[in-house]
């Protein structure tokens, strides 16, 4: 299953990997709040390590 990450433009954060369904829900939530976002597919060409702070 592909995983997707969301990049938020307001605070420059990257979400943890999530399913497509979860990503769509988050995108709609951010859109209602007026937050610009980008959806990125996590695959072998994208090497981003997510670590919680």
């Amino acid at each position: 299953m592909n995983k997707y990450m969301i990049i938020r433009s307001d605070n420059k954060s990257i979400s943890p990997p999530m399913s497509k369904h979860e990503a769509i829900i988050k995108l709609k939530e951010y859109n209602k709040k007026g937050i610009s976002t980008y959806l990125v597919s996590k695959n072998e060409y994208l090497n981003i390590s997510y670590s919680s702070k």
Side-chain angles (χ1 to χ4, degrees), residues 6-51:
I6 298 173
I7 302 172
R8 290 175 54 160
S9 64
D10 62 337
N11 63 5
K12 310 289 190 256
S13 68
I14 299 174
S15 73
M18 62 185 79
S19 71
K20 184 176 182 179
H21 178 72
E22 291 172 309
I24 290 170
I25 290 171
K26 284 285 186 188
L27 288 174
K28 288 179 180 180
E29 178 183 319
Y30 292 146
N31 187 44
K32 286 180 184 177
K33 293 179 181 179
I35 300 170
S36 295
T37 56
Y38 301 93
L39 183 63
V40 179
S41 174
K42 182 179 182 207
N43 57 38
E44 68 236 28
Y45 303 111
L46 181 63
N47 184 11
I48 295 177
S49 298
Y50 175 80
S51 60

